[in-house]
Amino acid sequence: MLYGLTNPHGGDIYGGGVTLDFSANTNPYGTPAGVLDAVKAALPEMHRYPDPYCRSLVDAIAEFEGVDKHFILCGSGAAELIYAYCAALHPKTALELAPTFSEYSLGLKRAGCSIKRYYLTPDNDFTLDEHFLYHLEDTTPEAVFLCNPNNPTGVLIDPKLLKRVLDFCKETHIKLFIDECFLDLSDNGISMKAYLQDYPNLFLLKAFTKSYGMAGIRLGYCLCADAQLLTAMAREVQPWNVSSLAQAAGVAALKEEAFLKETKKLIQKERPWLQTKLEAFGFRVCPSYANYLLFQGPVDLHRKLKAQGIAIRNCDNYPGLTSGWYRIAVRRHEENEALIAAIGSIVKEGK
């Protein structure tokens, strides 16, 4: 719970007035019916403590991901695992991209880590290129944090470059953290999980939040072959940190293959439609491979949309971005139409 602090993320629709939320990149179809049924079926067992080892869920994840079950640690959302990783690793120096997801730096700061940033630029659509490797050689941090596809840009990292980064990190004893939470909704994104066995320095973050519309139940997991690190992370979280309802929901979600395929079809149809409409307003739109778009528009656009009951993610608190940069989720067509209509009325008024 936040107390006396400013929420740095999207998705806060509880202050009143928001009827359409484009600020959180969750599944446009919401939560699969099978997951809702599983949660309902688990309700009579609420009087019991949840399984502290998440046995059924870990087995389901291992089968789904095709990895050893001893490589898996579950958490109350991906954010908990980020903080547990930073606390367990306790690096003195770390390198992250800018812009990128803010919880990496927040978790690192809490662990007393000095953070260095590699700034991506709009000149090449915020794409990570081989110059990052040269920078990595010059700085040699203890840990590197990457997000693939990156948030908020939606840009995928070239798999060949990512492998070179992984090799360099192994050779120089650098821990490599890769956030793959949006990968399952991306266009042909390739996971690095095949390298887990031979690269114990590799850590992959995953979540049910985005793919299966489960933000409210808080469930994430990580994949790593370093058993000592996972044990140290487990010591950093509270006992029974994953509720019985969340565990049941996760097991059910991993069976929703058809739901995931239908979601990706929608995203691949609606994202270019949104991009075309935004560019028609004269906005700069970053090419995305994920279920969201980063674009540059009027500096007061988010406030004017909020007045119409529509929330978008104002990105001026991302290092590397300034006022006028926004991120929107790709939603269902009727919702996307409502957003574009609202932006159109704002642009027309400004002329």
Side-chain angles (χ1 to χ4, degrees):
M1 171 183 166
L2 290 176
Y3 182 85
L5 301 172
T6 300
N7 174 34
H9 303 296
D12 183 4
I13 61 170
Y14 303 99
V18 175
T19 56
L20 280 177
D21 182 21
F22 285 83
S23 68
N25 307 324
T26 55
N27 194 300
Y29 286 127
T31 311
V35 173
L36 297 178
D37 290 341
V39 171
K40 292 175 185 175
L43 289 174
E45 297 298 313
M46 280 183 61
H47 65 288
R48 303 184 189 278
Y49 282 102
D51 178 357
Y53 299 100
C54 301
R55 292 173 178 88
S56 295
L57 177 57
V58 166
D59 287 344
I61 293 171
E63 182 178 356
F64 178 81
E65 296 286 4
V67 303
D68 190 313
K69 68 179 182 180
H70 297 102
F71 293 0
I72 300 167
L73 181 67
C74 297
S76 179
E80 181 183 57
L81 294 169
I82 293 171
Y83 280 80
Y85 178 85
C86 294
L89 193 62
H90 207 77
K92 293 181 180 178
T93 59
L95 177 65
E96 69 170 13
L97 304 181
T100 199
F101 187 49
S102 63
E103 292 299 329
Y104 314 142
S105 61
L106 293 173
L108 289 165
K109 287 177 182 176
R110 183 179 291 186
C113 180
S114 174
I115 304 164
K116 299 177 182 179
R117 293 190 171 100
Y118 182 84
Y119 283 85
L120 305 172
T121 69
D123 296 337
N124 66 344
D125 296 322
F126 300 99
T127 301
L128 190 71
D129 56 30
E130 64 179 8
H131 292 289
F132 178 72
L133 265 175
Y134 307 141
H135 183 80
L136 193 55
E137 291 174 359
D138 291 337
T139 55
T140 57
E142 291 181 40
V144 174
F145 283 69
L146 299 176
C147 187
N148 190 40
N150 194 25
N151 177 13
T153 65
V155 177
L156 284 165
I157 303 173
D158 180 85
K160 293 181 181 178
L161 174 61
L162 202 51
K163 180 57 166 57
R164 291 173 63 190
V165 171
L166 178 58
D167 286 334
F168 178 82
C169 288
K170 183 179 181 180
E171 293 166 4
T172 53
H173 307 289
I174 295 172
K175 299 291 187 180
L176 179 58
F177 177 111
I178 303 179
D179 184 341
E180 294 187 348
C181 286
F182 287 104
L183 196 66
D184 289 343
L185 291 181
S186 70
D187 296 354
N188 303 315
I190 300 174
S191 173
M192 297 295 284
K193 62 186 178 183
Y195 299 105
L196 288 168
Q197 183 71 56
D198 297 326
Y199 293 80
N201 64 314
L202 176 62
F203 180 96
L204 302 179
L205 183 70
K206 305 275 287 186
F208 291 83
T209 304
K210 285 77 181 181
S211 299
Y212 303 102
M214 289 167 51
I217 207 162
R218 312 306 306 134
L219 182 61
Y221 61 96
C222 62
L223 308 175
C224 183
D226 187 344
Q228 288 186 324
L229 174 60
L230 295 183
T231 299
M233 288 177 60
R235 293 193 183 102
E236 296 296 334
V237 300
Q238 63 174 321
W240 307 292
N241 61 320
V242 182
S243 73
S244 55
L245 301 184
Q247 292 184 41
V251 171
L254 295 175
K255 300 174 184 176
E256 294 287 343
E257 183 179 355
F259 177 83
L260 208 55
K261 286 182 179 179
E262 190 62 30
T263 300
K264 290 183 69 171
K265 284 174 58 179
L266 175 71
I267 292 167
Q268 290 167 2
K269 180 180 179 181
E270 291 298 316
R271 188 182 61 228
W273 184 87
L274 276 169
Q275 180 171 345
T276 299
K277 295 295 183 180
L278 291 170
E279 289 174 339
F281 294 131
F283 299 168
R284 178 173 189 165
V285 184
C286 177
S288 171
Y289 299 88
N291 60 318
Y292 46 92
L293 284 169
L294 178 71
F295 70 93
Q296 190 175 28
V299 295
D300 58 350
L301 181 63
H302 63 295
R303 287 187 290 269
K304 290 184 176 180
L305 284 172
K306 185 70 175 292
Q308 297 188 40
I310 301 175
I312 64 174
R313 178 66 160 88
N314 177 25
C315 292
D316 65 1
N317 67 334
Y318 279 91
L321 295 178
T322 57
S323 296
W325 282 100
Y326 305 99
R327 188 196 68 201
I328 57 169
V330 177
R331 302 204 57 80
R332 289 173 291 181
H333 187 68
E334 60 271 22
E335 295 172 305
N336 297 333
E337 282 188 317
L339 171 66
I340 293 302
I343 294 176
S345 66
I346 293 169
V347 171
K348 187 175 181 180
E349 289 175 3
K351 290 182 178 180

